[in-house]
């Protein structure tokens, strides 16, 4: 059996799969995000440990035989977070998360440094790890001085599991300390970020072993061992492994808390000026590019909270088929934006409200606004030479037929919907565990069965194209109004 752990922003999902990749059991736990100041987003790493232990205890109770058979563990994790630990491995402050924008000034300054974009392959976004440490240096110098290691969220979990300070290439690529083309820590990037090589964890490929589950964990969980812990991957790289997306031309769109449009690449071909991310994949000699929007289903959650309703109820009030764009435009920049604007300060807006605007129209506008933002990512990817003929659609937002058809038409791309079953980051983590145990990457990382394909509404493409052009024109005016 193989255990996949997906450490997300809102909680952890654990899955047990066999050597054929068939799901045997799953469990979940949740934890809070703390926002002590505007633009800040933090978590207590102790919550991750408690949550993981709770989820695995549930698996032990519900599937004791399968759990006892675990051969290897793989991990996926929210990217870019900064966990600062001292020489004893003790956490020095709450983890600063990917959607924290406090280090916008430090990111802008680091982005200007010589060769930073060339080596990292990316704009230095405020959410990346390196500017977070510059912020800590400037604002919490006593904490900065005590920092012996900086770990990404899943790698702090790895420390608890194995006692090893290690990370994988895909997660490390989001720090702005990694030479993404060469797949190694860059001394020049570390110097630019005022960091040292000894503060970095050891690097492994996501499909290789990073260590063994330590005896304390074996005893606590009743495992005979040895149990290998794979390098694992950042959440999007692991999700790509879970849906078999690692060949040139493979791609997926994710309607999760954030929104992602990802394309696998056979070579490192960065285009930082587009605000497209270029990262190492979780498997060797492979990379990927992606456009990222900071709020996708989070936008619907925001609307539901303010209307005193649930996201599912709002979605159910819409028809199953799209009939053309709403008269109201929604700009989904509730937490700033990455692709294509790289703007931590911009905020969202509703434009075109009328006395007759109702809940259904607001919900439609939110779904279309997120879809237009993903169209921004598609256009940015196309400027790099990336070509996608269709994409898999995953994430919680895919439960809405209206959203799916609107998105397919706005992107003018067929969306392939996976059949029911486990896929995505948790399965990708389990597949990386299988690879670390000797299974062939090509044999295990296969795409899921497609239940249906949502084709663009050709009769509505011109209307949505026109609406997208208006949407694109709104950003500079909104920016000017907020400045």
């Amino acid at each position: 059996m193989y255990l996949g752990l997906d450490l997300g922003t809102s909680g952890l999902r654990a899955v047990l799969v066999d050597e054929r990749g068939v799901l045997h059991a799953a469990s979940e736990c949740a934890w809070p995000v703390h926002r002590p100041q505007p633009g800040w987003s933090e978590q207590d790493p102790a919550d991750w440990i408690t949550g993981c232990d709770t989820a695995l205890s549930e698996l032990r109770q519900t599937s004791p035989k399968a759990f006892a058979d675990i051969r290897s563990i793989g991990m996926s994790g929210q990217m870019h977070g900064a966990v600062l630990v001292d020489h004893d491995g003790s956490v020095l402050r709450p983890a600063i998360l990917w959607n924290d924008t406090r280090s916008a000034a430090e990111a802008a300054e680091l982005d200007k440094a010589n060769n930073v974009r060339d080596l990292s392959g990316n704009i230095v976004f405020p959410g990346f790890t390196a500017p977070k440490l510059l912020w800590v240096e400037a604002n919490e110098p006593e904490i900065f001085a005590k920092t012996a290691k900086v770990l990404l969220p899943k790698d702090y979990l790895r420390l608890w599991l194995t006692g090893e300070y290690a990370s994988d290439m895909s997660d490390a690529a989001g720090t702005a300390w990694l030479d993404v083309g060469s797949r190694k820590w860059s001394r020049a990037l570390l110097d630019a970020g005022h960091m040292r090589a000894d503060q970095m964890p050891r690097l492994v490929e996501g499909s290789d072993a990073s260590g063994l589950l330590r005896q304390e964990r074996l005893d606590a969980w009743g495992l005979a061992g040895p149990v290998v812990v794979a390098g694992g991957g950042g959440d999007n790289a692991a999700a790509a492994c879970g849906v078999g997306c690692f060949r040139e031309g493979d791609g997926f769109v994710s309607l999760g808390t954030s929104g992602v449009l990802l394309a696998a690449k056979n070579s490192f071909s960065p285009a930082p000026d587009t605000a497209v991310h270029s990262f190492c994949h979780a498997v060797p000699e492979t990379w990927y590019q992606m456009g990222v929007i900071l709020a996708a289903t989070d936008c619907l959650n925001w609307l539901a909270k303010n209307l005193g309703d649930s996201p599912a109820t709002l979605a159910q009030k819409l028809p199953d088929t799209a009939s053309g764009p709403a008269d109201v435009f929604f700009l989904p920049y509730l937490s700033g934006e990455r692709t294509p604007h790289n703007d931590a300060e911009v905020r969202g807006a509703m434009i075109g409200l009328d006395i007759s605007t109702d809940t259904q129209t607001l919900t439609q506008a939110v779904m279309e606004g997120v879809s237009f933002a993903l169209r921004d990512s598609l256009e940015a990817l196309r400027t790099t030479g990336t070509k996608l003929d269709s994409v898999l659609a995953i994430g919680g937002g895919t439960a809405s037929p209206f959203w799916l058809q609107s998105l397919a038409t706005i992107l003018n791309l067929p969306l392939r919907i996976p059949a029911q079953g486990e896929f995505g980051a948790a399965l990708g983590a389990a597949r990386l565990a299988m690879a670390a145990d000797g299974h062939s990457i090509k044999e295990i990382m296969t795409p899921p069965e497609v239940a249906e394909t949502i084709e663009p509404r050709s009769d509505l493409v011109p209307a949505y194209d026109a609406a997208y052009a208006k949407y694109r024109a709104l950003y500079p005016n909104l920016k000017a109004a907020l400045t």
Side-chain angles (χ1 to χ4, degrees):
M1 300 299 297
Y2 298 92
L3 176 64
L5 302 175
D6 177 27
L7 191 162
T9 310
S10 57
L12 178 138
R13 179 167 175 78
V15 299
L16 275 174
V17 303
D18 64 21
E19 59 187 6
R20 298 169 298 160
V22 176
L23 178 70
H24 279 250
S27 63
E28 296 183 358
C29 64
W31 43 60
V33 175
H34 305 290
R35 301 185 183 276
Q37 295 189 39
W40 290 30
S41 181
E42 299 183 338
Q43 282 179 333
D44 183 353
D47 290 344
W48 306 337
I49 302 303
T50 301
C52 182
D53 208 17
T54 299
L56 296 193
S57 294
E58 181 180 329
L59 285 181
R60 284 185 65 200
Q61 293 173 3
T62 58
S63 305
K65 185 176 180 181
F67 190 91
D69 239 1
I70 291 174
R71 286 276 300 271
S72 183
I73 299 172
M75 292 183 294
S76 161
Q78 49 168 301
M79 295 181 69
H80 314 304
V83 184
L84 281 58
V85 300
D86 64 15
H87 288 285
D88 297 323
S90 298
V91 175
L92 293 168
R93 68 168 330 282
I96 307 176
L97 302 189
W98 61 274
N99 54 353
D100 188 293
T101 59
R102 76 183 74 178
S103 60
E106 289 81 3
E109 193 64 27
L110 183 57
D111 190 55
K112 297 175 186 174
N114 288 339
N115 296 323
V116 165
R117 287 191 179 188
D118 293 337
L119 289 167
S120 71
N122 294 278
I123 289 173
V124 180
F125 292 91
F128 281 14
T129 319
K132 292 178 170 67
L133 269 294
L134 290 172
W135 183 92
V136 172
E137 180 185 29
N139 294 275
E140 299 174 351
E142 70 288 352
I143 298 294
F144 188 82
K146 294 177 183 178
T147 300
K149 284 283 192 295
V150 180
L151 298 175
L152 296 158
K154 79 172 192 328
D155 299 325
Y156 180 73
L157 189 62
R158 184 199 317 278
L159 178 63
W160 178 67
L161 293 172
T162 68
E164 299 280 346
Y165 292 100
S167 189
D168 80 290
M169 308 298 180
S170 69
D171 218 357
T175 62
W177 292 319
L178 190 81
D179 181 332
V180 176
S182 299
R183 304 173 86 94
K184 63 182 182 183
W185 296 121
S186 165
R187 183 169 296 277
L189 290 174
L190 290 170
D191 287 346
H194 303 174
M195 300 300 292
R196 307 185 309 270
D198 64 274
Q199 292 173 301
M200 298 297 107
R202 173 174 54 90
L203 288 172
V204 298
E205 293 288 354
S207 52
D208 290 343
S210 69
L212 296 175
L213 193 63
R214 59 185 182 179
Q215 192 63 47
E216 181 183 352
R217 302 269 65 79
L218 291 171
D219 293 343
W221 295 334
L223 299 174
V227 175
V228 172
V229 178
D235 49 7
N236 290 301
C241 292
V243 296
C245 176
F246 61 97
R247 304 171 192 84
E248 189 88 25
D250 291 345
F252 71 79
V253 61
S254 174
L255 285 174
T257 302
S258 59
V260 171
L261 184 62
L262 183 147
K265 305 291 288 185
N266 292 336
S267 61
F268 180 51
S269 51
D273 290 344
T274 66
V276 163
H277 297 40
S278 297
F279 291 155
C280 302
H281 210 314
V283 296
E285 300 180 9
T286 309
W287 289 260
Y288 67 91
Q289 289 183 331
M290 65 177 179
V292 176
I293 64 172
L294 291 177
T297 58
D298 241 8
C299 293
L300 190 60
N301 295 339
W302 163 82
L303 181 67
K305 180 180 69 174
N306 283 285
L307 293 179
D309 217 327
S310 73
T313 301
L314 292 182
Q316 289 165 5
K317 291 177 181 178
L318 296 176
D320 287 346
T321 59
S323 58
D327 294 329
V328 175
F329 285 91
F330 174 68
L331 282 74
Y333 312 136
L334 301 182
S335 301
E337 194 54 292
R338 286 200 187 173
T339 310
H341 302 304
N342 183 30
D343 189 341
E345 303 300 325
V346 71
R347 288 298 179 263
M350 286 273 190
I351 296 173
L353 294 172
D354 183 85
I355 193 69
S356 64
T357 300
D358 56 14
T359 298
Q360 183 172 320
T361 302
L362 293 174
T363 305
Q364 179 179 348
V366 165
M367 291 183 176
E368 289 176 356
V370 170
S371 301
F372 286 140
L374 287 167
R375 170 76 177 268
D376 276 345
S377 290
L378 177 62
E379 298 300 334
L381 282 168
R382 283 172 172 162
T383 65
T384 73
T386 294
K387 188 175 186 299
L388 294 169
D389 295 322
S390 68
V391 291
L392 279 165
I394 62 175
T398 61
S400 165
F402 179 87
W403 206 343
L404 283 175
Q405 188 166 88
S406 298
L407 179 60
T409 308
I410 288 168
L411 298 180
N412 200 13
L413 279 179
L415 302 183
R416 291 175 283 122
I417 313 303
Q420 289 294 326
E422 185 65 39
F423 56 88
L427 176 60
R431 287 177 166 183
L432 290 166
M434 295 170 69
D437 193 44
H439 289 263
S440 164
I441 290 173
K442 289 185 178 180
E443 291 180 5
I444 60 176
M445 295 191 187
T446 55
E449 177 187 349
V450 173
E452 63 175 321
T453 298
I454 308 297
E455 296 287 346
R457 284 277 303 273
S458 58
D459 58 321
L460 295 178
V461 166
Y464 279 112
D465 282 348
Y468 173 65
K470 292 179 181 178
Y471 169 89
R472 286 281 291 172
L474 292 171
Y475 168 77
N477 293 306
L478 175 63
K479 180 67 175 174
L482 294 173
T483 301

